[in-house]
């Protein structure tokens, strides 16, 4: 892709995306310019990725054909006001923030702005991300395809209706955090039973990876895959019964409800 890509903000999520784009050769170092609030982050970006850097958000905005806002939701209003006169008319503005709507960005920039709302996740760092994407009416099919190509360089993409975007952190944007908690808990259980710590992490993580791949690659229902592990009268069904007793599924559903509610609350701060 020949287009220039700008990142305003170069924190954990932006770095994961940049690493994915460069790693797959979808973008080259010279195409990417980033800004951040500290010189320390910019120095890190230059040293680690060799990308162009600037302390000036306006310079990044004027550089970019695709401008990715990779800052916290509550900074969007100030940054959009800062850069609005520095962008070319055809620049596609992309947000990765929870709770920042297409309408909010249009309102801040004017109705003709081309806006894409996305919600990626940190496994993008190793090319295994999942990003949900929606666009406003000003974004052409070709521009959407280009955004999807960029995002596909660090994982998979799902195009959703905007009204579903507040539900995305709970299922894929934030969920790596609870999967890591699950892996940590599995490893702790292994250690309790005497398995060395390092091996316990490998075993737990590979079991989660393998189970996820089974869902994606066999197309079988997760319940049927679970049933296949449960030998009648065996050990697994005992674990399943204990998890049900401790409301395992209900705990996950409740966590997701809180996550979605918080995304909606963030949205209320950006209207
Ligand atoms: N982390 C995640 O798993 C995911 C995060 N997101 C979204 O990504 C966004 C960023 O999150 P995350 O990367 O975790 O956060 P970080 O805190 O890691 O990164 C935020 C970045 O914004 C920079 N920044 C702060 N103020 C300014 C400013 N005025 N101008 C330019 N840059 C500025 C910071 O600079 P400095 O480094 O110098 O402090 C930092 O590089 C959020 O909106 C979040 O909702 C979306 C999906 C997943
Ligand atoms: O915690 C957050 O708000 C962001 C959104 C998804 C992951 N991190």
């Amino acid at each position: 892709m020949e287009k220039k890509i700008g990142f305003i903000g170069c924190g954990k999520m932006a770095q994961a995306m940049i690493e994915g784009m460069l790693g797959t050769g979808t973008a080259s170092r010279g195409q990417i310019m980033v800004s951040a609030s500290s010189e320390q982050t910019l120095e890190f970006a230059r040293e680690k990725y060799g990308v162009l850097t600037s302390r000036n958000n306006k310079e990044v905005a004027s550089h970019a054909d695709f401008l990715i806002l990779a800052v916290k939701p509550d900074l969007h209003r100030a940054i959009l006001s800062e850069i609005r006169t520095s962008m070319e008319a055809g620049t596609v503005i992309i947000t990765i923030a929870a709770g920042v709507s297409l309408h909010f960005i249009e309102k801040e920039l004017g109705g003709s702005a081309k806006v894409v709302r996305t919600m990626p996740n940190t496994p993008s760092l190793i090319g295994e991300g999942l990003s949900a994407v929606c666009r406003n009416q000003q974004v052409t099919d070709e521009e959407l395809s280009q955004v999807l190509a960029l995002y596909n360089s660090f994982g998979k993409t799902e195009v959703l209706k905007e009204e579903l975007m507040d539900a995305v952190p709970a299922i894929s944007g934030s969920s790596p955090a609870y999967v890591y908690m699950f892996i940590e808990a599995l490893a702790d259980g292994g250690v309790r039973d005497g398995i060395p710590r390092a091996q316990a992490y490998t075993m737990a993580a590979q079991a989660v990876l393998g189970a996820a791949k089974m869902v994606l690659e066999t197309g079988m229902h997760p319940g049927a895959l679970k049933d296949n592990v449960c030998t009648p009268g065996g050990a697994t069904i005992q674990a399943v019964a204990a998890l049900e007793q401790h409301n395992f599924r209900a705990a996950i559903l409740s966590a997701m409800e809180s996550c979605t509610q918080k995304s909606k609350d963030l949205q209320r701060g950006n209207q």
Side-chain angles (χ1 to χ4, degrees):
M1 182 179 293
E2 294 304 311
K3 301 278 185 185
K4 291 185 177 152
I5 301 152
F7 280 88
I8 294 187
C10 191
K12 289 174 283 297
M13 195 57 240
Q15 288 171 25
M17 294 166 74
I18 291 168
E19 194 138 343
M21 288 177 195
L22 295 177
T24 51
T26 306
S28 63
R29 300 169 198 293
Q31 281 172 264
I32 300 176
M33 184 185 278
V34 308
S35 63
S37 67
S38 68
E39 185 51 41
Q40 197 188 358
T41 296
L42 296 183
E43 198 180 313
F44 173 83
R46 281 192 299 273
E47 278 176 13
K48 177 135 196 213
Y49 306 117
V51 295
L52 305 168
T53 65
S54 173
R55 282 300 293 281
N56 185 346
N57 291 335
K58 291 180 181 174
E59 190 184 355
V60 177
S62 64
H63 161 93
D65 299 303
F66 293 104
L67 180 63
I68 301 174
L69 304 179
V71 291
K72 298 216 158 78
D74 60 3
L75 284 177
H76 275 56
R77 192 189 304 274
I79 284 174
L80 288 167
S81 145
E82 185 185 349
I83 62 173
R84 60 177 297 170
T85 54
S86 306
M87 290 179 303
E88 302 289 331
T91 305
V92 178
I93 316 286
I94 304 170
T95 180
I96 65 167
V100 175
S101 68
L102 295 173
H103 174 71
F104 174 75
I105 296 179
E106 284 170 356
K107 185 170 70 66
E108 297 298 308
L109 293 179
S112 60
K114 295 172 179 282
V115 192
V116 179
R117 177 178 176 184
T118 68
M119 174 50 53
N121 65 7
T122 52
S124 303
L125 184 74
I126 52 150
E128 290 291 347
L130 185 286
S131 305
V133 177
C134 69
R135 62 166 157 171
N136 75 353
Q137 286 185 338
Q138 316 303 331
V139 176
T140 64
D141 289 347
E142 191 190 351
E143 287 161 343
L144 177 66
S145 300
Q146 290 169 333
V147 172
L148 293 177
L150 261 187
Y151 274 66
N152 282 329
S153 71
F154 46 82
K156 294 182 176 155
T157 48
E158 293 289 339
V159 176
L160 291 182
K161 290 184 182 156
E162 185 174 28
E163 51 264 41
L164 295 175
M165 289 300 284
D166 282 336
V168 175
I171 191 164
S172 58
S174 305
S175 65
Y178 17 112
V179 174
Y180 299 135
M181 289 169 74
F182 179 53
I183 290 172
E184 215 185 350
L186 284 177
D188 279 349
V191 168
R192 187 179 53 191
D193 290 339
I195 296 174
R197 175 66 65 183
Q199 284 175 300
Y201 287 130
T202 303
M203 291 164 80
Q206 179 61 34
V208 170
L209 176 68
K213 278 192 159 183
M214 286 287 277
V215 174
L216 291 173
E217 291 180 16
T218 67
M220 284 173 71
H221 189 286
L225 290 165
K226 177 213 75 182
D227 290 353
N228 286 347
V229 189
C230 296
T231 307
T236 313
I237 195 67
Q238 292 295 337
V240 168
L243 285 171
E244 297 291 16
Q245 219 167 27
H246 290 283
N247 295 323
F248 181 63
R249 293 172 205 243
I252 291 163
L253 289 171
S254 161
M256 291 176 73
E257 197 179 347
S258 298
C259 193
T260 299
Q261 187 53 53
K262 180 66 184 181
S263 302
K264 289 184 172 153
D265 292 347
L266 289 169
Q267 181 115 284
R268 273 191 275 281
N270 279 319
Q271 279 176 346

